Every structure is written in structure tokens, then in C-alpha cells.
Amino acid sequence: MGALLNSTVFAPWDDPQAKPLIQFQNVTKRFGGFTAIDNLSIDIFEREFFALLGPSGCGKTTMMRMLAGFEKPTEGHILLAGQDIDPIPPNKRAVNMMFQSYALFPHLSVWDNIAFGLKRDKMPKRDIEERVDEMLRLTRLEKFASRKPHQISGGQRQRVALARSLAKAPKLLLLDEPLGALDKKLRQDTQFELMDIQEKTGTTFVIVTHDQEEAMTVASRVAVMDHGRIIQADTPARIYETPNSVYVADFIGDVNIIEGRATPKGDDSYSIDWAEGQTPLQATSSAAIEKGQKCHLAIRPEKVTITAERPADAANAVQGKVHDIAYLGNLSTYHVELPNGTIIKAQTANTRRISRRSFSWEDPVWLSWTATAGVLLAN
Amino acid sequence: MRRFVLIAIPYLWLLALFLVPFAIVLKISLSDAAIARPPYFPQFDWAAGIRAFISELDFENYIFLTQDDLYWKAYLSSVKIALISTALTLLVGYPIAYGMARAPQEWRATLMMLVILPFWTSFLIRVYAWMGILSNEGYLNQFLMWTGLISEPLTILNTQTAVYIGIVYTYLPFMILPIYSALDRLDGSLIEAAEDLGCSRAQAFWLVTIPLSRPGIIAGCFLVMIPVIGEFVIPSLLGGSGTLMIGKVLWEEFFSNRDWPVASAVAIVLLLILVIPIVLFQRNQQKQAEAEQ
Amino acid sequence: MNRLSWFNAVSLTLGFAFLYIPMIILIIFSFNESKLVTVWAGFSTKWYGELIHNEAFLDAAWVTVRVAVFSSTLATILGTMAAYVLVRGGRFFGRTLFSGMIYAPLVMPEVITGLSLLLLFIGIGLDRGIFTIVLAHTTFSMCYVSVVVSSRLITFDRSLEEAALDLGCSPAQAFRLVTLPIIAPAVISGWLLAFTLSLDDLVIASFTSGPSATTLPIKIFSAVRLGVSPEINALSTLMIAVVTIGVITASLVTKRAAVRQKQEEQAAARAT
């Protein structure tokens, strides 16, 4: 059985038998006239690393604060391991939170900060010491145990905050923009550290972030939010490859959106009329789209090939001229203007030296992609 | 429940020891005149009800205030002294605050402490210190006669001049601190920008520094003026019998004449006079707080 | 801007001379041999000796200190509660009245506060003495305390309290273990302010004290009305000395703590 589990991908959300750890059941939260969370239902499973992603004001922080107990739903219920937690105050919940500002107690040492929650549980002194030392080891803070928060660096403070919220071994750990205060280099290292710790402790993590790269890196599932609703909740790969809406496609990564009208051709294939005098584009979609219905074709720039001659076997090929080139070191993005004024981005890896780059400004080029490269989204 | 107790304790304390006493003053000011002999009539009687109680109140003490010119002269003179001494304190305080804000960074904390130190020192002692200086045989007269500027001692103590000196001296920190904090926040490059755009030093001061320190000036002026109107210690120690100020009149009405209803009426009128500057001050503070957000 | 212009140098010199010369003269003449305070007749500490044997002054000083300790402690407790209610209490019935009652005593002339409290104490038949002075001083100084503490509470990071709740504290524990230790400097300066206000107060104490309790300012005031006396000079010098030592110590301690904190923060930032 163990071997079988190991070989299976961790995906309890696809298993109808799996019992969720957290259930949002038609939760609505209003602040006065403002609806922060709008009739939201979602299940989060044990051992998941669940990311709430969205622009500021989308309701992700409110969801987290409701889980911690600082806010109560206006309507609906939140269940933790099958139990309705609405009436339970924050100090009685088996849920801990890592704050965006870290909220380390400035008057207590690193050791006392980590021991703070354990002491409230009236744990025997020996056990507290053991547990704090274990947490210090886990977060590599042994040397700093007796320091005060202002005597350590930002990255160390972040780890203290993590150790403190993990010390009580909560069923659920909430992380509010946990890496937001760190600089980019440190943030990337810390992301892997965070995943590592999550795996080691087996705790369920719910993370709030506005950084899509961070969400994609750490999470087992990402929920993209907007205006108090979850637009799509899925694995990072599926969010990226098969977004369910223009909003999600546009929010995660870079994307070209081409608007047009679809004509079904059978077998999930469609042809799309997108501009007068241009050959219709070929695309596939599992969702049924009626003839003449307005739709959007979303194609990632790295799936668009740029060539000087028209490729012979491409399902889709359009001609244009190079409008702009963004050189990013490892990659280059070409902004190509089509005859009707549309700008399409195509990305290529810079495997050759820049002096041998093949295209320059105003060069006529061909863009091509396969029928399955893009995602066809009905309106 | 816990929240209720937390609110109730300070609330009830202030109700009992601030609002109720104030209501008593109001009630006694409307009672019949009687000298130091409570109870004052009318007394509140549950059987007769509130209407009967209110109908017996009257304004005779207030009418008395208008008839005796001592009172309105005292009010007028208090306001006059407050306005003049506020202006004087501003004149003395602004250059000090300006000098502090322009002083090298490492001096500022010390200068600040030197301004605050007198504030923690007993008010009474600071007023008392001037008695020895300003009296006829005082140090000032001794000094001036020694320099040969005067041959006869000047009479300063027990005149309004002494009151002005005392007020400026004791209230100076209240003027300096808000102006200093406004000037301290002022970005030095603004003045350089003004000079760059063709202002002379004096023009830059007048067109940039003064307008930007205005909230501090206004706050400082109110912080001096409001307490000075009701001041008692300074006029009674430095002002002599010639200085008429309402705080002193109230004190004497109460302790010497023992006419409590009139003293209460004097207090109520004093408060009515203070309402205007207090409301203006509150507005200024609010505007400043909003501007900072 | 490293050097002062002559104008600023002159205004600072004159300004601080104006602030300090009266007190310096007072201190010098407290060591005067002569009874005539305005004529210097040689150095002597005899007025300090007389002060120590002046029972009336010592009694008054003892009353003043007791009143100040009781009233400032009570005012600190009540003022901190009031500040917490104002900043964190949310909405409740009569909130406007409450905040009005906190701010009004700050601008109320002392003569009116004194008069109204006296009329209350007479009205309810309370004998005037130390107890009534404590009540009076507590009432006006709690407002100062609450202003000091609430300005600290406004800048307090609320997520610290939420973190305490999140880690299992009851609201009362969160206040005791997290909020109070962090706002302690503001609470202490509130206490010091209340203590000083109580020590200095003449007007309100005059109204609310009875024949059984005379405070030092009342005593000094009645002595001073008769003119300048070397004994009062000596007493004033002692009071100035206490305040000066206190203020300088406090500012050195806070300055040193701030410098150290800054150094440690810089060291921590460099370490990464």
C-alpha cells in the first residue's frame, strides 16, 4: 500500500472518497456595503500547500482571516475537519498564522517568541524546551535563540515567525504574504525552504500571495481570486496550460489573446475567423462552442515560433513585422505587428550569442503555432 | 462583559468627577444668591418634579455680573492680556525654535531637553524666581543701576509688565515645541528650491518657511492663549492689585467673599469665553492630523 | 547647514539665557548667608539646614509626595484603560461624550476644575483632605495619561495582538503579555507626567484640600505671597535639582537605548 501511495501523484482533490480538511460552504463576508467574499465554496485537503492568488482587494486576506478566526462569515459556514469553526475564538483554534509583518514580539527573545504559544497550552517545561529546540533546528536558528527580533536580519525574522507558528503543530498553517518583505534572491531560496518544511512537518499550508511566480512554485494547488470569488482552483500546471478564463490566462504569466468567431469542425476542433482577409486560425477546445460564437484564443508567447520563411506544415501561420525586441538575457521576446495592427508576442530561448541573432526591427517574419498550442475560451 | 467593565470604569469616574461637578456649578450659578451657606435654593425635589425645579432657577447671578463693572473689566483684561502675551511669546519663541531647527543634528536632542526641562520644573517656582528679579531692590534694578542706565529703581513687580514677563517665561516651551516640530519636518531643499527660483533669503523665509510652519504657530498660540485666560498664579504673584484677571477674581470671589453662586456664574461665563478658542484649536489639530494621513 | 548663522546663534543664546538665568539666580541666592535675598553676603548652606528642621514644610512635602504617588498611579491605571477604550473600544453608547470628557480637562482652567470638584465634595458631604486631593488630581491627570498612552496605541501594530490571540492567548492575556510590555514606555512617561502635575498643582489642591492636608505648593504659595525668602530659594533649588537629575537621566537612558537598538539593527542587516 505504501509503495502504491508513493507511486501515486498527490491529488486528493481528484479523489471523490477523500475527506477535505477545510470546507468553505457558501461563505459570504460583507464589510458594510462592501462584499469581500461572495458566496464562495472550496475544499482544501490535508497536507496540501494551497495558494490563494489575486490582486489586492480580491478577498484572499479576508479568507485567511476567517480561517484564523479574526473575522466571522456573514453567511455560510467554514468547517475544519468536519466541525463548524464559526463560534470558536482564534485562541481556541488548532490553526496558526504567520503574519505578513511577522508580528514578532519585540520585547521577547527568539526563543521566547517560539515558546510563546506552547506556554499558553500549559505544556510541561521540559516538553516546551524540547519543542522549541526542534523548531530552532528545523529553521536553522539555533545560534540566534537568545537574540531579540531587532538583532536579527529580515530573513531570520521570517524564519522565527515560521517557527513560532509551527511550534504548536497546528492542523493548518496560514501564511499571509510570508515572503513579501524579502528581496528577490532571498525570496527564491526561501520558497524551497518553505516547501521542504511543509513536506517534513506534513502540515496543511494555506498561503496568501499576490506574486504568481511564488504561488506557482510552492503550491500543490492555486486558487486565482477576483472580486471575492475563486475563478479557478487547480494545480499550477493546469492553471497555466488550461486556464478557464481570459482573466486567469492573463493573470498567470504572459499571454497573447486573439479575439474571433468560432466555427465547429467536429472532433473538438474549431476554426476561428479573427481578421478580415486572413486565413482562419485552427484550435481545439474540449468545451462546446456554438457556430459564430465570440471567443478568445489564448496562446503563450513561448509556444509561438518565429521564422523568416513560412513554415510548411504549421497549422497556424501569420505574417507580420518585428515591432520591438525585449532582450531578457536567457530569453528574447519579439513583439510582432500583424497587418491588422494586432501585436503578438513570441518568445525564443537565446541559445546563441546575441551577435548572431537572426531578426531585427522592421524585419518581415512569420509566426506559427500548432492547433493544440492555444486555449480557446468561450465568452 | 469584560469590555463593558473596561469602558464603564473610566467612564463612570469621569462622569462622577468631571461632568457631575460641572453640572453642580451650573446649577449653583442659577441659584439664589447666598453667602457660603449651602444648601442653595431651589433644591431638587422629586415630588415637585423637574419643571418646578427649573422654573425656580434664574439668572440673577449673571445679571449681577453685568451690573458690577469689575467682572466685565476682568474678562476684558484677561482676554487682552492673553492676546498680547501670546503675541509676545510667539515673537520670543519663533527665533528660538528656528535656531533649534537649524542647529547641527547632534545638538538638537540636547536643545530639546533644555526646552523641556523647565516644563517639568514647578510652575510656582518659576514664577517665584521672577519676584526676586523684578522687585524694586531686585537683581534687575541692581544691574541696571550698576550699569548707570537708570538712577532710580524701576517699578516692575506688581505691574502688568511683570505679568507679561511671567507669562512669556512660563509658557515659552508650549510655543517653542510645536513650532520646532513643524520646522524640523520642513524639507531643507524647499528653501534651496525657492532661492534657486530667484527668492532672496528673506523672501524664501517669508514665502516658504513661515507658511509651512503655520500649523505649529497656530498650535503654539492656542496652547499659550487658552490657559492664560484662566491664569491665576502669575497675576496673583507678579501682578499686584492693579492687574485684573478673571482667574484671580474667581478665586477671590470664592475664598475671600465666599459668594459661591456668583463664583459659579463667573466660572460659567469664563468657560463660554474659552469655547471659541478651544473649538478653533480643535479644528486646527484635526486639519493637521488629516493632512498627515 | 553644519554651522549656525550668527542670527540663529544669537537667538538661541538669548533664548536659553532667558529660560535659565532666573533659575540660576535663584539657585545662587539659596546659598546666600544674608536673610536679605537681594544682597550677597557670602556662601552658606544654613537655609538648607533650617529647611530640614522646618516641620511645616516637611509635613507638607510628605503629604504632597503621598498624594502624587497615589493619584499618579490611579491616574495611570484609569488613563491607560481610557486610552485603550478610545483607540480599541470600537463604537459604544456615548463615545463622543467619553472622548469629550477626556479632552475637556486638558483645556479647562484650573480654577474651574477646582471650584467644581469642591462644590461636589461639599454637596456629597465628603471631608476634605488627602483623599479628596487624590480624587481631584487623579481626575485631571488621567486625561493627560490617556492622551500620552493613546498616541502610542494608535501606532501600535495590531497584528502583534492578533498573533498573541492566534497563539492561544485570551484577550486579557494578550494585553498583559504583549500590549502592556510594548507600550510600557508610554505608560511610564504617563505616570511621570501625572506625578509631576500632581507635585506642581497649586490651584486645584487649594480648592480641594482641607485644614488637615496642606501640600507643598500651597505652603510655598502662602510663604511667597509675603515676599522672597532664602528658605524658599533653598527649597526651590532642591526641587529643581531633583527634576534636572530625573530629566537628564531619563533622556540619557532613552538616547542610549535608541543608539544601541540602531547599532544592533545595522549589525543584523550587515550579517545577511
Side-chain angles (χ1 to χ4, degrees):
Chain A
M1 187 65 191
L4 192 70
L5 264 181
N6 279 341
S7 64
T8 333
V9 189
F10 173 72
W13 48 89
D14 288 335
D15 177 7
Q17 302 295 317
K19 277 224 175 88
L21 178 70
I22 305 157
Q23 290 167 280
F24 276 76
Q25 296 180 335
N26 305 95
V27 173
T28 297
K29 173 72 188 177
R30 277 186 283 267
F31 296 103
F34 174 73
T35 307
I37 297 292
D38 189 4
N39 191 25
L40 183 147
S41 298
I42 182 86
D43 291 348
I44 299 171
F45 296 85
E46 210 164 309
R47 305 179 70 91
E48 251 204 275
F49 202 137
F50 193 87
L52 295 168
L53 178 64
S56 58
C58 71
K60 56 191 194 302
T61 303
T62 308
M63 261 182 90
M64 171 159 292
R65 290 175 62 80
M66 286 196 290
L67 281 170
F70 299 127
E71 310 287 353
K72 285 200 165 48
T74 317
E75 284 159 31
H77 298 284
I78 301 171
L79 275 58
L80 180 69
Q83 185 201 5
D84 189 344
I85 54 170
D86 296 348
I88 305 175
N91 49 332
K92 303 259 163 60
R93 291 192 184 190
V95 173
N96 284 126
M97 178 154 169
M98 187 183 146
F99 289 80
Q100 184 174 9
S101 62
Y102 306 149
L104 298 180
F105 304 129
H107 57 300
L108 299 179
S109 68
V110 167
W111 201 96
D112 285 318
N113 260 287
I114 299 174
F116 190 89
L118 302 170
K119 285 183 182 165
R120 305 283 82 73
D121 284 354
K122 305 259 174 343
M123 214 190 235
K125 220 175 161 198
R126 285 282 303 274
D127 295 1
I128 292 180
E129 281 167 15
E130 243 167 62
R131 181 72 183 155
V132 173
D133 289 342
E134 191 188 331
M135 285 297 124
L136 287 169
R137 235 175 298 127
L138 183 72
T139 48
R140 297 181 286 110
L141 285 166
E142 297 100 320
K143 278 192 290 181
F144 307 102
S146 58
R147 295 223 191 152
K148 292 274 179 70
H150 73 266
Q151 294 168 321
I152 56 178
S153 71
Q156 289 158 350
R157 268 178 236 171
Q158 190 267 351
R159 299 212 299 272
V160 177
L162 182 65
R164 184 180 72 180
S165 51
L166 275 173
K168 292 182 85 171
K171 278 188 196 165
L172 171 64
L173 183 70
L174 307 168
L175 303 103
D176 187 2
E177 302 270 5
L179 311 176
L182 305 180
D183 58 52
K184 198 174 176 198
K185 183 86 184 59
L186 192 56
R187 195 156 66 216
Q188 284 169 348
D189 297 343
T190 315
Q191 283 168 2
F192 290 103
E193 203 171 272
L194 212 55
M195 293 162 73
D196 201 37
I197 287 172
Q198 195 256 347
E199 223 159 89
K200 268 190 208 156
T201 56
T203 315
T204 310
F205 278 26
V206 172
I207 183 175
V208 155
T209 178
H210 68 273
D211 178 350
Q212 43 119 346
E213 217 171 285
E214 182 175 303
M216 303 287 278
T217 310
V218 300
S220 58
R221 272 199 302 163
V222 176
V224 181
M225 294 186 68
D226 189 36
H227 290 106
R229 294 165 182 271
I230 290 178
I231 309 293
Q232 188 175 8
D234 219 325
T235 60
R238 281 203 290 225
I239 289 265
Y240 188 77
E241 299 293 345
T242 56
N244 67 357
S245 60
V246 174
Y247 178 81
V248 173
D250 200 27
F251 194 82
I252 308 280
D254 213 353
V255 75
N256 296 302
I257 303 279
I258 300 171
E259 206 182 301
R261 287 186 192 279
T263 313
K265 299 202 307 180
D267 287 343
D268 291 346
S269 9
Y270 296 87
S271 79
I272 303 132
D273 295 307
W274 62 284
E276 239 167 87
Q278 296 283 338
T279 331
L281 301 173
Q282 306 302 315
T284 59
S285 168
S286 51
I289 300 170
E290 283 168 42
K291 180 174 164 55
Q293 195 182 338
K294 214 173 141 193
C295 62
H296 292 95
L297 181 64
I299 322 151
R300 301 284 178 196
E302 73 275 12
K303 296 196 167 66
V304 180
T305 313
I306 180 164
T307 48
E309 306 290 322
R310 188 186 207 285
D313 54 347
N316 300 294
V318 291
Q319 197 180 20
K321 62 173 193 277
V322 177
H323 179 76
D324 225 335
I325 307 170
Y327 175 69
L328 304 171
N330 54 343
L331 299 170
S332 283
T333 305
Y334 295 91
H335 295 233
V336 176
E337 191 177 355
L338 304 187
N340 69 344
T342 315
I343 302 271
I344 300 282
K345 284 172 274 185
Q347 209 165 52
T348 56
N350 290 326
T351 48
R352 294 182 180 189
R353 291 287 300 273
I354 191 164
S355 55
R356 302 186 56 191
R357 200 168 54 190
S358 25
F359 307 109
S360 185
W361 286 267
E362 301 297 322
D363 281 356
V365 291
W366 282 90
L367 300 177
S368 57
W369 60 93
T370 64
T372 52
V375 181
L376 194 57
L377 300 162
N379 256 26
Chain B
M1 183 58 207
R2 194 175 268 137
R3 178 169 175 266
F4 178 77
V5 172
L6 188 65
I7 295 174
I9 291 173
Y11 208 138
L12 290 177
W13 182 286
L14 286 172
L15 278 181
L17 287 152
F18 179 75
L19 205 63
V20 168
F22 187 68
I24 293 174
V25 173
L26 190 62
K27 185 244 157 190
I28 290 179
S29 76
L30 296 167
S31 304
D32 295 338
I35 289 172
R37 185 174 45 79
Y40 297 101
F41 292 97
Q43 273 189 294
F44 191 69
D45 183 3
W46 282 109
I50 289 177
R51 259 170 188 244
F53 171 71
I54 288 175
S55 67
E56 281 194 46
L57 294 174
D58 56 46
F59 288 96
E60 61 172 321
N61 297 311
Y62 293 91
I63 292 164
F64 175 70
L65 292 190
T66 60
Q67 284 162 350
D68 193 332
D69 65 356
L70 165 80
Y71 298 103
W72 64 263
K73 274 185 182 159
Y75 283 120
L76 224 59
S77 137
S78 292
V79 172
K80 190 191 91 188
I81 289 176
L83 289 174
I84 293 174
S85 56
T86 303
L88 289 174
T89 315
L90 177 62
L91 282 180
V92 176
Y94 198 95
I96 301 177
Y98 187 81
M100 283 171 68
R102 291 282 166 276
Q105 191 69 47
E106 62 268 26
W107 292 10
R108 291 194 199 169
T110 313
L111 293 175
M112 186 80 166
M113 199 192 72
L114 285 174
V115 174
I116 293 173
L117 192 62
F119 169 80
W120 291 91
T121 316
S122 169
F123 190 83
L124 192 54
I125 288 174
R126 282 187 293 145
V127 177
Y128 164 73
W130 282 96
M131 292 176 72
I133 296 173
L134 299 177
S135 66
N136 280 352
E137 321 77 64
Y139 313 119
L140 183 64
N141 274 320
Q142 284 180 27
F143 176 75
L144 290 176
M145 280 160 80
W146 174 76
T147 58
L149 281 171
I150 53 168
S151 50
E152 287 287 303
L154 299 169
T155 308
I156 307 174
L157 190 64
N158 298 333
T159 66
Q160 286 206 0
T161 312
V163 173
Y164 287 128
I165 294 174
I167 292 173
V168 172
Y169 180 69
T170 46
Y171 284 94
L172 198 54
F174 292 96
M175 184 64 86
I176 294 177
L177 291 176
I179 296 178
Y180 168 71
S181 78
L183 286 174
D184 189 38
R185 262 178 296 172
L186 194 130
D187 184 354
S189 58
L190 289 177
I191 300 185
E192 288 170 3
E195 285 178 18
D196 181 62
L197 294 168
C199 280
S200 68
R201 274 270 160 114
Q203 279 176 317
F205 176 78
W206 185 247
L207 294 173
V208 178
T209 311
I210 293 274
L212 286 173
S213 58
R214 207 176 63 186
I217 295 174
I218 294 175
C221 286
F222 281 121
L223 284 176
V224 173
M225 192 169 70
I226 292 168
V228 166
I229 292 177
E231 184 55 54
F232 163 74
V233 176
I234 295 172
S236 64
L237 287 185
L238 301 179
S241 54
T243 309
L244 209 51
M245 280 189 85
I246 200 66
K248 212 174 121 199
V249 169
L250 195 155
W251 177 286
E252 275 155 12
E253 204 61 58
F254 191 86
F255 284 107
S256 313
N257 299 349
R258 310 193 48 78
D259 189 342
W260 297 3
V262 168
S264 301
V266 169
I268 297 292
V269 174
L270 171 55
L271 262 189
L272 290 178
I273 291 173
L274 279 174
V275 160
I276 302 162
I278 288 172
V279 168
L280 287 176
F281 176 61
Q282 200 72 17
R283 270 226 203 119
N284 179 57
Q285 295 299 93
Q286 226 159 34
K287 240 196 292 178
Q288 223 183 318
E290 279 164 18
E292 272 165 27
Q293 271 170 9
Chain C
M1 296 262 174
N2 271 328
R3 283 191 43 211
L4 278 172
S5 68
W6 66 267
F7 176 79
N8 288 334
V10 168
S11 62
L12 280 181
T13 313
L14 288 180
F16 284 102
F18 177 60
L19 275 176
Y20 282 92
I21 284 177
M23 283 197 266
I24 292 168
I25 291 176
L26 192 130
I27 292 168
I28 292 172
F29 279 85
S30 74
F31 295 104
N32 190 1
E33 171 74 37
S34 165
K35 174 91 187 159
L36 289 168
V37 278
T38 50
V39 183
W40 181 258
F43 182 84
S44 153
T45 54
K46 72 174 182 192
W47 303 112
Y48 290 89
E50 291 208 359
L51 201 60
I52 292 169
H53 296 109
N54 189 329
E55 288 285 329
F57 272 129
L58 289 180
D59 283 349
W62 179 226
V63 168
T64 310
V65 169
R66 272 188 296 167
V67 167
V69 168
F70 285 132
S71 69
S72 58
T73 307
L74 209 54
T76 304
I77 297 167
L78 287 167
T80 306
M81 284 168 92
Y84 201 80
V85 166
L86 272 182
V87 179
R88 294 292 162 74
R91 286 159 182 240
F92 55 89
F93 180 73
R95 194 183 189 284
T96 315
L97 176 65
F98 185 71
S99 67
M101 288 195 298
I102 291 287
Y103 290 106
L106 305 181
V107 289
M108 187 73 87
E110 290 169 314
V111 278
I112 298 183
T113 310
L115 174 73
S116 65
L117 281 165
L118 173 59
L119 293 177
L120 170 81
F121 295 145
I122 290 171
I124 58 175
L126 203 59
D127 275 342
R128 279 171 291 153
I130 288 183
F131 180 62
T132 48
I133 310 176
V134 169
L135 286 183
H137 282 182
T138 305
T139 306
F140 82 90
S141 49
M142 76 176 267
C143 302
Y144 284 88
V145 173
S146 95
V147 168
V148 171
V149 173
S150 64
S151 70
R152 173 70 188 90
L153 271 179
I154 287 169
T155 58
F156 186 88
D157 180 6
R158 273 200 95 159
S159 63
L160 288 170
E161 276 167 13
E162 288 181 340
L165 293 177
D166 186 65
L167 293 166
C169 281
S170 65
Q173 276 178 319
F175 181 78
R176 189 163 53 82
L177 296 169
V178 174
T179 315
L180 197 56
I182 295 172
I183 63 166
V187 175
I188 291 169
S189 48
W191 188 90
L192 285 172
L193 183 61
F195 188 80
T196 319
L197 288 171
S198 173
L199 279 188
D200 280 1
D201 170 63
L202 163 73
V203 176
I204 293 172
S206 300
F207 276 98
T208 53
S209 72
S212 65
T214 304
T215 65
L216 205 51
I218 297 177
K219 198 82 203 155
I220 293 174
F221 183 68
S222 58
V224 156
R225 283 194 119 166
L226 306 173
V228 181
S229 89
E231 229 174 329
I232 299 287
N233 282 357
L235 181 62
S236 305
T237 303
L238 288 178
M239 289 169 74
I240 292 170
V242 170
V243 169
T244 309
I245 292 168
V247 170
I248 290 177
T249 314
S251 72
L252 283 182
V253 167
T254 48
K255 194 180 170 189
R256 188 170 298 174
V259 167
R260 221 181 80 186
Q261 168 130 4
K262 205 168 178 191
Q263 280 171 351
E264 286 173 349
E265 272 167 10
Q266 281 166 351
R270 269 199 305 275
T272 42

